[in-house]
Amino acid sequence: MKKWKYYILASLAYIGVICLIGVVEKQSPDANIKSISDAFWYAIVTLTTVGYGDFYPVTPIGKVVGLIVIIGSIGVLGYVIGEITSKFNQYMEKKKYGFWGTDFDGHYIIIGWNSFGRQVAEQIFNSGHKVAFVVNSKADVDLIKDVFPGDNCFCLFADYYNMEAYDKVNIKKSKGVYVNFEEDTKTLVFVLNLKKAYPNSNIVVTCINPELKDTFVNAGIRYVISQSEVASRLVASYIFEPFVASYTEDLITTSISGFDSDIQQYRILKDNKLAGAEYMDAFHELKEKFNAVAIGMVSHGKIIKNPSKGQMISAGDYLILISDGNTKPKLETIFGVKEGE
């Protein structure tokens, strides 16, 4: 309140000086400032640095008061420009650090930033999806924006444990949330709080200690990946089945060029002609028309590997395919959705 009192007093003093120059000048027969309105016009022209020269003080007292108006106008102009610049900088800073939020829908959220999180984000971006990052370091925001420039990337600087902040990344409309902390205990405590605040969120975590995998599952986290467990399986495969391991590693990586192959999943919409079809019929059609190989499906949340003859496909199911980058746009057209949606 004290700050506003100073502003009011300064404004009144400035207006008083303007009125004073009008009163002083109109008493001189040679004056061209003959009224209070002329004095205000003189002050406005002076304040805006236009300098028409149509009004100016001619009396000694008027010139002294006019000098005060000039100096006061410089102060007012400097203050106004400074305030506008400050407000603009504050707005841009809040926008840069995500305080205004995002309208992303059907996107993915990565909480926490490190080299592993960057690799995960690259795979998601390569598949054409949007990613919102939540980090607790402004330096990480700058780094992420340098690494992933563009409209598909949004960054929020926030306290991880401020659950209200996740509304700014539109977490309720996200398709998946990856918690990327480097300590299992920190991850476990955090996901318990996040699950409580947003029970319908699809949360994915990685754990360092494979013995804690069941603990995360019991906490309600459906997808828990043990980094050491996955790495050990891949290493073992390279030892005795190197070509299989190499092919597997290639398939789980999002295709970048038109000749890269990867595994994709596509949701069956109600108006898709494959809804109600037999899996084997879909298998042959996809292979013959698109050179895409169906290797499984998901029905009622259950993965069916290499379905047998007679397996039917229903709306809401997912087909799991292998295809290359050239085929992906065609598949997205016939399925009516992007991979993973």
Side-chain angles (χ1 to χ4, degrees), residues 273-310:
K273 66 177 184 179
L274 295 180
E278 188 175 345
Y279 174 85
M280 291 303 296
D281 293 335
F283 175 91
H284 291 297
E285 181 176 348
L286 291 169
K287 178 60 180 176
E288 291 171 0
K289 292 185 177 180
F290 304 100
N291 196 31
V293 180
I295 59 175
M297 62 180 290
V298 178
S299 181
H300 302 290
K302 181 181 178 181
I303 299 176
I304 304 175
K305 303 174 184 177
N306 192 23
S308 57
K309 187 176 181 180

PDB file of all heavy atoms in Angstrom, residues 273-310:
ATOM      1  N   LYS A 273     -12.546 -51.221 -40.611  1.00  0.00           N
ATOM      2  CA  LYS A 273     -13.091 -52.456 -41.192  1.00  0.00           C
ATOM      3  C   LYS A 273     -12.492 -53.712 -40.554  1.00  0.00           C
ATOM      4  O   LYS A 273     -13.046 -54.814 -40.705  1.00  0.00           O
ATOM      5  CB  LYS A 273     -12.857 -52.486 -42.692  1.00  0.00           C
ATOM      6  CG  LYS A 273     -11.403 -52.565 -43.112  1.00  0.00           C
ATOM      7  CD  LYS A 273     -11.294 -52.654 -44.632  1.00  0.00           C
ATOM      8  CE  LYS A 273      -9.859 -52.823 -45.087  1.00  0.00           C
ATOM      9  NZ  LYS A 273      -9.768 -52.933 -46.567  1.00  0.00           N
ATOM     10  N   LEU A 274     -11.368 -53.554 -39.820  1.00  0.00           N
ATOM     11  CA  LEU A 274     -10.780 -54.705 -39.139  1.00  0.00           C
ATOM     12  C   LEU A 274     -11.521 -55.045 -37.850  1.00  0.00           C
ATOM     13  O   LEU A 274     -11.333 -56.123 -37.284  1.00  0.00           O
ATOM     14  CB  LEU A 274      -9.303 -54.444 -38.836  1.00  0.00           C
ATOM     15  CG  LEU A 274      -8.369 -54.285 -40.047  1.00  0.00           C
ATOM     16  CD1 LEU A 274      -6.943 -54.021 -39.594  1.00  0.00           C
ATOM     17  CD2 LEU A 274      -8.434 -55.528 -40.936  1.00  0.00           C
ATOM     18  N   ALA A 275     -12.356 -54.114 -37.373  1.00  0.00           N
ATOM     19  CA  ALA A 275     -13.164 -54.392 -36.184  1.00  0.00           C
ATOM     20  C   ALA A 275     -14.193 -55.466 -36.537  1.00  0.00           C
ATOM     21  O   ALA A 275     -15.008 -55.297 -37.442  1.00  0.00           O
ATOM     22  CB  ALA A 275     -13.863 -53.126 -35.694  1.00  0.00           C
ATOM     23  N   GLY A 276     -14.136 -56.595 -35.858  1.00  0.00           N
ATOM     24  CA  GLY A 276     -15.018 -57.712 -36.150  1.00  0.00           C
ATOM     25  C   GLY A 276     -14.411 -58.727 -37.086  1.00  0.00           C
ATOM     26  O   GLY A 276     -15.033 -59.766 -37.382  1.00  0.00           O
ATOM     27  N   ALA A 277     -13.190 -58.440 -37.595  1.00  0.00           N
ATOM     28  CA  ALA A 277     -12.521 -59.376 -38.501  1.00  0.00           C
ATOM     29  C   ALA A 277     -11.717 -60.399 -37.710  1.00  0.00           C
ATOM     30  O   ALA A 277     -11.421 -60.207 -36.522  1.00  0.00           O
ATOM     31  CB  ALA A 277     -11.608 -58.614 -39.454  1.00  0.00           C
ATOM     32  N   GLU A 278     -11.351 -61.481 -38.359  1.00  0.00           N
ATOM     33  CA  GLU A 278     -10.500 -62.478 -37.727  1.00  0.00           C
ATOM     34  C   GLU A 278      -9.047 -62.021 -37.827  1.00  0.00           C
ATOM     35  O   GLU A 278      -8.616 -61.421 -38.813  1.00  0.00           O
ATOM     36  CB  GLU A 278     -10.674 -63.832 -38.409  1.00  0.00           C
ATOM     37  CG  GLU A 278      -9.957 -64.968 -37.687  1.00  0.00           C
ATOM     38  CD  GLU A 278     -10.223 -66.333 -38.301  1.00  0.00           C
ATOM     39  OE1 GLU A 278     -11.178 -66.436 -39.106  1.00  0.00           O
ATOM     40  OE2 GLU A 278      -9.476 -67.278 -37.987  1.00  0.00           O
ATOM     41  N   TYR A 279      -8.291 -62.322 -36.806  1.00  0.00           N
ATOM     42  CA  TYR A 279      -6.898 -61.869 -36.746  1.00  0.00           C
ATOM     43  C   TYR A 279      -6.106 -62.363 -37.959  1.00  0.00           C
ATOM     44  O   TYR A 279      -5.332 -61.592 -38.545  1.00  0.00           O
ATOM     45  CB  TYR A 279      -6.247 -62.359 -35.451  1.00  0.00           C
ATOM     46  CG  TYR A 279      -4.760 -62.061 -35.378  1.00  0.00           C
ATOM     47  CD1 TYR A 279      -4.307 -60.824 -34.929  1.00  0.00           C
ATOM     48  CD2 TYR A 279      -3.813 -63.017 -35.770  1.00  0.00           C
ATOM     49  CE1 TYR A 279      -2.955 -60.546 -34.877  1.00  0.00           C
ATOM     50  CE2 TYR A 279      -2.456 -62.740 -35.725  1.00  0.00           C
ATOM     51  CZ  TYR A 279      -2.020 -61.502 -35.271  1.00  0.00           C
ATOM     52  OH  TYR A 279      -0.674 -61.223 -35.224  1.00  0.00           O
ATOM     53  N   MET A 280      -6.273 -63.618 -38.359  1.00  0.00           N
ATOM     54  CA  MET A 280      -5.491 -64.164 -39.470  1.00  0.00           C
ATOM     55  C   MET A 280      -5.815 -63.454 -40.781  1.00  0.00           C
ATOM     56  O   MET A 280      -4.935 -63.243 -41.627  1.00  0.00           O
ATOM     57  CB  MET A 280      -5.735 -65.665 -39.606  1.00  0.00           C
ATOM     58  CG  MET A 280      -5.159 -66.493 -38.456  1.00  0.00           C
ATOM     59  SD  MET A 280      -3.389 -66.246 -38.231  1.00  0.00           S
ATOM     60  CE  MET A 280      -2.747 -66.881 -39.788  1.00  0.00           C
ATOM     61  N   ASP A 281      -7.067 -63.032 -40.948  1.00  0.00           N
ATOM     62  CA  ASP A 281      -7.439 -62.279 -42.148  1.00  0.00           C
ATOM     63  C   ASP A 281      -6.743 -60.919 -42.148  1.00  0.00           C
ATOM     64  O   ASP A 281      -6.256 -60.450 -43.184  1.00  0.00           O
ATOM     65  CB  ASP A 281      -8.951 -62.099 -42.221  1.00  0.00           C
ATOM     66  CG  ASP A 281      -9.684 -63.418 -42.444  1.00  0.00           C
ATOM     67  OD1 ASP A 281      -9.050 -64.351 -43.002  1.00  0.00           O
ATOM     68  OD2 ASP A 281     -10.864 -63.518 -42.060  1.00  0.00           O
ATOM     69  N   ALA A 282      -6.724 -60.292 -40.973  1.00  0.00           N
ATOM     70  CA  ALA A 282      -6.033 -59.008 -40.851  1.00  0.00           C
ATOM     71  C   ALA A 282      -4.538 -59.175 -41.097  1.00  0.00           C
ATOM     72  O   ALA A 282      -3.897 -58.333 -41.730  1.00  0.00           O
ATOM     73  CB  ALA A 282      -6.282 -58.418 -39.469  1.00  0.00           C
ATOM     74  N   PHE A 283      -3.987 -60.278 -40.603  1.00  0.00           N
ATOM     75  CA  PHE A 283      -2.561 -60.570 -40.781  1.00  0.00           C
ATOM     76  C   PHE A 283      -2.206 -60.609 -42.268  1.00  0.00           C
ATOM     77  O   PHE A 283      -1.254 -59.964 -42.719  1.00  0.00           O
ATOM     78  CB  PHE A 283      -2.220 -61.907 -40.114  1.00  0.00           C
ATOM     79  CG  PHE A 283      -0.806 -62.357 -40.335  1.00  0.00           C
ATOM     80  CD1 PHE A 283       0.191 -62.002 -39.442  1.00  0.00           C
ATOM     81  CD2 PHE A 283      -0.474 -63.141 -41.440  1.00  0.00           C
ATOM     82  CE1 PHE A 283       1.502 -62.415 -39.649  1.00  0.00           C
ATOM     83  CE2 PHE A 283       0.835 -63.558 -41.649  1.00  0.00           C
ATOM     84  CZ  PHE A 283       1.827 -63.190 -40.753  1.00  0.00           C
ATOM     85  N   HIS A 284      -2.975 -61.354 -43.060  1.00  0.00           N
ATOM     86  CA  HIS A 284      -2.691 -61.493 -44.486  1.00  0.00           C
ATOM     87  C   HIS A 284      -2.910 -60.176 -45.237  1.00  0.00           C
ATOM     88  O   HIS A 284      -2.120 -59.821 -46.125  1.00  0.00           O
ATOM     89  CB  HIS A 284      -3.574 -62.591 -45.092  1.00  0.00           C
ATOM     90  CG  HIS A 284      -3.219 -63.972 -44.623  1.00  0.00           C
ATOM     91  ND1 HIS A 284      -1.995 -64.560 -44.888  1.00  0.00           N
ATOM     92  CD2 HIS A 284      -3.918 -64.891 -43.890  1.00  0.00           C
ATOM     93  CE1 HIS A 284      -1.946 -65.767 -44.360  1.00  0.00           C
ATOM     94  NE2 HIS A 284      -3.105 -66.007 -43.743  1.00  0.00           N
ATOM     95  N   GLU A 285      -3.953 -59.451 -44.874  1.00  0.00           N
ATOM     96  CA  GLU A 285      -4.243 -58.188 -45.559  1.00  0.00           C
ATOM     97  C   GLU A 285      -3.139 -57.160 -45.308  1.00  0.00           C
ATOM     98  O   GLU A 285      -2.692 -56.472 -46.237  1.00  0.00           O
ATOM     99  CB  GLU A 285      -5.593 -57.636 -45.093  1.00  0.00           C
ATOM    100  CG  GLU A 285      -5.978 -56.330 -45.794  1.00  0.00           C
ATOM    101  CD  GLU A 285      -7.355 -55.835 -45.404  1.00  0.00           C
ATOM    102  OE1 GLU A 285      -8.105 -56.609 -44.774  1.00  0.00           O
ATOM    103  OE2 GLU A 285      -7.669 -54.675 -45.724  1.00  0.00           O
ATOM    104  N   LEU A 286      -2.703 -57.048 -44.070  1.00  0.00           N
ATOM    105  CA  LEU A 286      -1.655 -56.084 -43.745  1.00  0.00           C
ATOM    106  C   LEU A 286      -0.332 -56.443 -44.426  1.00  0.00           C
ATOM    107  O   LEU A 286       0.411 -55.566 -44.872  1.00  0.00           O
ATOM    108  CB  LEU A 286      -1.466 -56.018 -42.223  1.00  0.00           C
ATOM    109  CG  LEU A 286      -2.620 -55.388 -41.445  1.00  0.00           C
ATOM    110  CD1 LEU A 286      -2.452 -55.615 -39.945  1.00  0.00           C
ATOM    111  CD2 LEU A 286      -2.696 -53.882 -41.735  1.00  0.00           C
ATOM    112  N   LYS A 287      -0.040 -57.719 -44.509  1.00  0.00           N
ATOM    113  CA  LYS A 287       1.196 -58.157 -45.150  1.00  0.00           C
ATOM    114  C   LYS A 287       1.150 -57.925 -46.656  1.00  0.00           C
ATOM    115  O   LYS A 287       2.110 -57.423 -47.258  1.00  0.00           O
ATOM    116  CB  LYS A 287       1.447 -59.636 -44.836  1.00  0.00           C
ATOM    117  CG  LYS A 287       2.686 -60.212 -45.507  1.00  0.00           C
ATOM    118  CD  LYS A 287       3.960 -59.484 -45.076  1.00  0.00           C
ATOM    119  CE  LYS A 287       5.192 -60.082 -45.750  1.00  0.00           C
ATOM    120  NZ  LYS A 287       6.423 -59.340 -45.415  1.00  0.00           N
ATOM    121  N   GLU A 288       0.037 -58.277 -47.282  1.00  0.00           N
ATOM    122  CA  GLU A 288      -0.075 -58.178 -48.737  1.00  0.00           C
ATOM    123  C   GLU A 288      -0.152 -56.727 -49.204  1.00  0.00           C
ATOM    124  O   GLU A 288       0.454 -56.355 -50.209  1.00  0.00           O
ATOM    125  CB  GLU A 288      -1.309 -58.946 -49.213  1.00  0.00           C
ATOM    126  CG  GLU A 288      -1.190 -60.462 -49.056  1.00  0.00           C
ATOM    127  CD  GLU A 288      -2.486 -61.181 -49.331  1.00  0.00           C
ATOM    128  OE1 GLU A 288      -3.494 -60.489 -49.640  1.00  0.00           O
ATOM    129  OE2 GLU A 288      -2.518 -62.422 -49.231  1.00  0.00           O
ATOM    130  N   LYS A 289      -0.911 -55.886 -48.473  1.00  0.00           N
ATOM    131  CA  LYS A 289      -1.141 -54.505 -48.934  1.00  0.00           C
ATOM    132  C   LYS A 289      -0.087 -53.524 -48.432  1.00  0.00           C
ATOM    133  O   LYS A 289       0.225 -52.542 -49.114  1.00  0.00           O
ATOM    134  CB  LYS A 289      -2.532 -54.035 -48.503  1.00  0.00           C
ATOM    135  CG  LYS A 289      -3.666 -54.762 -49.200  1.00  0.00           C
ATOM    136  CD  LYS A 289      -5.007 -54.150 -48.804  1.00  0.00           C
ATOM    137  CE  LYS A 289      -6.159 -54.824 -49.541  1.00  0.00           C
ATOM    138  NZ  LYS A 289      -7.475 -54.237 -49.157  1.00  0.00           N
ATOM    139  N   PHE A 290       0.472 -53.786 -47.260  1.00  0.00           N
ATOM    140  CA  PHE A 290       1.369 -52.787 -46.667  1.00  0.00           C
ATOM    141  C   PHE A 290       2.732 -53.352 -46.267  1.00  0.00           C
ATOM    142  O   PHE A 290       3.564 -52.620 -45.745  1.00  0.00           O
ATOM    143  CB  PHE A 290       0.702 -52.170 -45.424  1.00  0.00           C
ATOM    144  CG  PHE A 290      -0.647 -51.569 -45.704  1.00  0.00           C
ATOM    145  CD1 PHE A 290      -1.804 -52.269 -45.400  1.00  0.00           C
ATOM    146  CD2 PHE A 290      -0.761 -50.322 -46.296  1.00  0.00           C
ATOM    147  CE1 PHE A 290      -3.053 -51.734 -45.666  1.00  0.00           C
ATOM    148  CE2 PHE A 290      -1.994 -49.774 -46.559  1.00  0.00           C
ATOM    149  CZ  PHE A 290      -3.155 -50.475 -46.250  1.00  0.00           C
ATOM    150  N   ASN A 291       2.952 -54.624 -46.489  1.00  0.00           N
ATOM    151  CA  ASN A 291       4.197 -55.282 -46.072  1.00  0.00           C
ATOM    152  C   ASN A 291       4.451 -55.084 -44.584  1.00  0.00           C
ATOM    153  O   ASN A 291       5.586 -54.958 -44.124  1.00  0.00           O
ATOM    154  CB  ASN A 291       5.395 -54.772 -46.877  1.00  0.00           C
ATOM    155  CG  ASN A 291       6.603 -55.688 -46.739  1.00  0.00           C
ATOM    156  OD1 ASN A 291       6.460 -56.903 -46.569  1.00  0.00           O
ATOM    157  ND2 ASN A 291       7.787 -55.104 -46.803  1.00  0.00           N
ATOM    158  N   ALA A 292       3.356 -55.025 -43.803  1.00  0.00           N
ATOM    159  CA  ALA A 292       3.435 -54.923 -42.342  1.00  0.00           C
ATOM    160  C   ALA A 292       3.096 -56.281 -41.743  1.00  0.00           C
ATOM    161  O   ALA A 292       2.177 -56.964 -42.207  1.00  0.00           O
ATOM    162  CB  ALA A 292       2.460 -53.869 -41.822  1.00  0.00           C
ATOM    163  N   VAL A 293       3.848 -56.671 -40.739  1.00  0.00           N
ATOM    164  CA  VAL A 293       3.670 -57.991 -40.141  1.00  0.00           C
ATOM    165  C   VAL A 293       3.014 -57.860 -38.773  1.00  0.00           C
ATOM    166  O   VAL A 293       3.579 -57.228 -37.861  1.00  0.00           O
ATOM    167  CB  VAL A 293       5.016 -58.727 -40.004  1.00  0.00           C
ATOM    168  CG1 VAL A 293       4.810 -60.111 -39.376  1.00  0.00           C
ATOM    169  CG2 VAL A 293       5.698 -58.850 -41.352  1.00  0.00           C
ATOM    170  N   ALA A 294       1.828 -58.415 -38.615  1.00  0.00           N
ATOM    171  CA  ALA A 294       1.157 -58.433 -37.307  1.00  0.00           C
ATOM    172  C   ALA A 294       1.790 -59.535 -36.454  1.00  0.00           C
ATOM    173  O   ALA A 294       1.895 -60.685 -36.893  1.00  0.00           O
ATOM    174  CB  ALA A 294      -0.336 -58.687 -37.476  1.00  0.00           C
ATOM    175  N   ILE A 295       2.228 -59.177 -35.253  1.00  0.00           N
ATOM    176  CA  ILE A 295       2.874 -60.161 -34.373  1.00  0.00           C
ATOM    177  C   ILE A 295       2.088 -60.392 -33.086  1.00  0.00           C
ATOM    178  O   ILE A 295       2.490 -61.204 -32.248  1.00  0.00           O
ATOM    179  CB  ILE A 295       4.311 -59.740 -34.034  1.00  0.00           C
ATOM    180  CG1 ILE A 295       4.314 -58.375 -33.337  1.00  0.00           C
ATOM    181  CG2 ILE A 295       5.168 -59.701 -35.286  1.00  0.00           C
ATOM    182  CD1 ILE A 295       5.690 -57.954 -32.853  1.00  0.00           C
ATOM    183  N   GLY A 296       1.002 -59.664 -32.904  1.00  0.00           N
ATOM    184  CA  GLY A 296       0.204 -59.852 -31.693  1.00  0.00           C
ATOM    185  C   GLY A 296      -0.881 -58.812 -31.596  1.00  0.00           C
ATOM    186  O   GLY A 296      -1.051 -57.967 -32.477  1.00  0.00           O
ATOM    187  N   MET A 297      -1.634 -58.870 -30.527  1.00  0.00           N
ATOM    188  CA  MET A 297      -2.702 -57.902 -30.296  1.00  0.00           C
ATOM    189  C   MET A 297      -2.945 -57.746 -28.805  1.00  0.00           C
ATOM    190  O   MET A 297      -2.448 -58.543 -27.988  1.00  0.00           O
ATOM    191  CB  MET A 297      -3.987 -58.340 -31.005  1.00  0.00           C
ATOM    192  CG  MET A 297      -4.551 -59.673 -30.527  1.00  0.00           C
ATOM    193  SD  MET A 297      -6.070 -60.144 -31.400  1.00  0.00           S
ATOM    194  CE  MET A 297      -7.229 -58.927 -30.746  1.00  0.00           C
ATOM    195  N   VAL A 298      -3.685 -56.729 -28.474  1.00  0.00           N
ATOM    196  CA  VAL A 298      -4.060 -56.472 -27.080  1.00  0.00           C
ATOM    197  C   VAL A 298      -5.579 -56.424 -27.015  1.00  0.00           C
ATOM    198  O   VAL A 298      -6.211 -55.643 -27.739  1.00  0.00           O
ATOM    199  CB  VAL A 298      -3.463 -55.157 -26.560  1.00  0.00           C
ATOM    200  CG1 VAL A 298      -3.911 -54.899 -25.119  1.00  0.00           C
ATOM    201  CG2 VAL A 298      -1.945 -55.180 -26.640  1.00  0.00           C
ATOM    202  N   SER A 299      -6.164 -57.267 -26.179  1.00  0.00           N
ATOM    203  CA  SER A 299      -7.617 -57.306 -26.025  1.00  0.00           C
ATOM    204  C   SER A 299      -7.956 -57.267 -24.543  1.00  0.00           C
ATOM    205  O   SER A 299      -7.439 -58.081 -23.773  1.00  0.00           O
ATOM    206  CB  SER A 299      -8.183 -58.569 -26.674  1.00  0.00           C
ATOM    207  OG  SER A 299      -9.592 -58.609 -26.554  1.00  0.00           O
ATOM    208  N   HIS A 300      -8.779 -56.275 -24.152  1.00  0.00           N
ATOM    209  CA  HIS A 300      -9.183 -56.099 -22.761  1.00  0.00           C
ATOM    210  C   HIS A 300      -7.962 -55.967 -21.837  1.00  0.00           C
ATOM    211  O   HIS A 300      -7.934 -56.496 -20.729  1.00  0.00           O
ATOM    212  CB  HIS A 300     -10.063 -57.266 -22.292  1.00  0.00           C
ATOM    213  CG  HIS A 300     -11.293 -57.447 -23.107  1.00  0.00           C
ATOM    214  ND1 HIS A 300     -12.349 -56.555 -23.077  1.00  0.00           N
ATOM    215  CD2 HIS A 300     -11.635 -58.415 -24.007  1.00  0.00           C
ATOM    216  CE1 HIS A 300     -13.291 -56.966 -23.901  1.00  0.00           C
ATOM    217  NE2 HIS A 300     -12.891 -58.087 -24.485  1.00  0.00           N
ATOM    218  N   GLY A 301      -6.956 -55.258 -22.337  1.00  0.00           N
ATOM    219  CA  GLY A 301      -5.771 -54.996 -21.535  1.00  0.00           C
ATOM    220  C   GLY A 301      -4.803 -56.154 -21.438  1.00  0.00           C
ATOM    221  O   GLY A 301      -3.794 -56.068 -20.729  1.00  0.00           O
ATOM    222  N   LYS A 302      -5.079 -57.241 -22.165  1.00  0.00           N
ATOM    223  CA  LYS A 302      -4.220 -58.432 -22.110  1.00  0.00           C
ATOM    224  C   LYS A 302      -3.504 -58.614 -23.438  1.00  0.00           C
ATOM    225  O   LYS A 302      -4.119 -58.565 -24.507  1.00  0.00           O
ATOM    226  CB  LYS A 302      -5.051 -59.680 -21.807  1.00  0.00           C
ATOM    227  CG  LYS A 302      -4.231 -60.952 -21.702  1.00  0.00           C
ATOM    228  CD  LYS A 302      -5.124 -62.150 -21.414  1.00  0.00           C
ATOM    229  CE  LYS A 302      -4.319 -63.443 -21.341  1.00  0.00           C
ATOM    230  NZ  LYS A 302      -5.186 -64.630 -21.090  1.00  0.00           N
ATOM    231  N   ILE A 303      -2.190 -58.815 -23.383  1.00  0.00           N
ATOM    232  CA  ILE A 303      -1.395 -59.023 -24.589  1.00  0.00           C
ATOM    233  C   ILE A 303      -1.549 -60.473 -25.059  1.00  0.00           C
ATOM    234  O   ILE A 303      -1.349 -61.411 -24.281  1.00  0.00           O
ATOM    235  CB  ILE A 303       0.091 -58.718 -24.343  1.00  0.00           C
ATOM    236  CG1 ILE A 303       0.289 -57.263 -23.921  1.00  0.00           C
ATOM    237  CG2 ILE A 303       0.917 -59.021 -25.589  1.00  0.00           C
ATOM    238  CD1 ILE A 303       1.715 -56.916 -23.559  1.00  0.00           C
ATOM    239  N   ILE A 304      -1.888 -60.623 -26.316  1.00  0.00           N
ATOM    240  CA  ILE A 304      -1.999 -61.956 -26.923  1.00  0.00           C
ATOM    241  C   ILE A 304      -0.873 -62.077 -27.951  1.00  0.00           C
ATOM    242  O   ILE A 304      -0.906 -61.437 -29.009  1.00  0.00           O
ATOM    243  CB  ILE A 304      -3.357 -62.157 -27.603  1.00  0.00           C
ATOM    244  CG1 ILE A 304      -4.489 -61.907 -26.601  1.00  0.00           C
ATOM    245  CG2 ILE A 304      -3.469 -63.563 -28.187  1.00  0.00           C
ATOM    246  CD1 ILE A 304      -5.878 -61.954 -27.217  1.00  0.00           C
ATOM    247  N   LYS A 305       0.127 -62.885 -27.643  1.00  0.00           N
ATOM    248  CA  LYS A 305       1.269 -63.046 -28.533  1.00  0.00           C
ATOM    249  C   LYS A 305       0.949 -64.095 -29.595  1.00  0.00           C
ATOM    250  O   LYS A 305       0.466 -65.183 -29.284  1.00  0.00           O
ATOM    251  CB  LYS A 305       2.499 -63.471 -27.735  1.00  0.00           C
ATOM    252  CG  LYS A 305       2.867 -62.514 -26.602  1.00  0.00           C
ATOM    253  CD  LYS A 305       4.007 -63.076 -25.768  1.00  0.00           C
ATOM    254  CE  LYS A 305       4.315 -62.175 -24.578  1.00  0.00           C
ATOM    255  NZ  LYS A 305       5.373 -62.728 -23.703  1.00  0.00           N
ATOM    256  N   ASN A 306       1.236 -63.730 -30.842  1.00  0.00           N
ATOM    257  CA  ASN A 306       1.046 -64.654 -31.964  1.00  0.00           C
ATOM    258  C   ASN A 306      -0.318 -65.355 -31.884  1.00  0.00           C
ATOM    259  O   ASN A 306      -0.407 -66.581 -31.718  1.00  0.00           O
ATOM    260  CB  ASN A 306       2.179 -65.696 -31.986  1.00  0.00           C
ATOM    261  CG  ASN A 306       2.200 -66.486 -33.278  1.00  0.00           C
ATOM    262  OD1 ASN A 306       1.702 -66.027 -34.307  1.00  0.00           O
ATOM    263  ND2 ASN A 306       2.761 -67.687 -33.220  1.00  0.00           N
ATOM    264  N   PRO A 307      -1.414 -64.617 -31.984  1.00  0.00           N
ATOM    265  CA  PRO A 307      -2.758 -65.192 -31.834  1.00  0.00           C
ATOM    266  C   PRO A 307      -3.007 -66.360 -32.799  1.00  0.00           C
ATOM    267  O   PRO A 307      -2.522 -66.359 -33.931  1.00  0.00           O
ATOM    268  CB  PRO A 307      -3.679 -64.011 -32.149  1.00  0.00           C
ATOM    269  CG  PRO A 307      -2.846 -62.801 -31.880  1.00  0.00           C
ATOM    270  CD  PRO A 307      -1.456 -63.170 -32.268  1.00  0.00           C
ATOM    271  N   SER A 308      -3.754 -67.308 -32.335  1.00  0.00           N
ATOM    272  CA  SER A 308      -4.058 -68.486 -33.152  1.00  0.00           C
ATOM    273  C   SER A 308      -5.270 -68.219 -34.041  1.00  0.00           C
ATOM    274  O   SER A 308      -5.971 -67.215 -33.893  1.00  0.00           O
ATOM    275  CB  SER A 308      -4.332 -69.692 -32.251  1.00  0.00           C
ATOM    276  OG  SER A 308      -5.400 -69.409 -31.346  1.00  0.00           O
ATOM    277  N   LYS A 309      -5.524 -69.122 -34.956  1.00  0.00           N
ATOM    278  CA  LYS A 309      -6.652 -68.989 -35.866  1.00  0.00           C
ATOM    279  C   LYS A 309      -7.963 -68.976 -35.082  1.00  0.00           C
ATOM    280  O   LYS A 309      -8.144 -69.724 -34.134  1.00  0.00           O
ATOM    281  CB  LYS A 309      -6.650 -70.161 -36.857  1.00  0.00           C
ATOM    282  CG  LYS A 309      -7.685 -70.026 -37.960  1.00  0.00           C
ATOM    283  CD  LYS A 309      -7.566 -71.154 -38.964  1.00  0.00           C
ATOM    284  CE  LYS A 309      -8.583 -71.003 -40.084  1.00  0.00           C
ATOM    285  NZ  LYS A 309      -8.479 -72.099 -41.075  1.00  0.00           N
ATOM    286  N   GLY A 310      -8.872 -68.097 -35.488  1.00  0.00           N
ATOM    287  CA  GLY A 310     -10.149 -67.968 -34.803  1.00  0.00           C
ATOM    288  C   GLY A 310     -10.203 -66.780 -33.858  1.00  0.00           C
ATOM    289  O   GLY A 310     -11.276 -66.409 -33.389  1.00  0.00           O
TER     290      GLY A 310
END
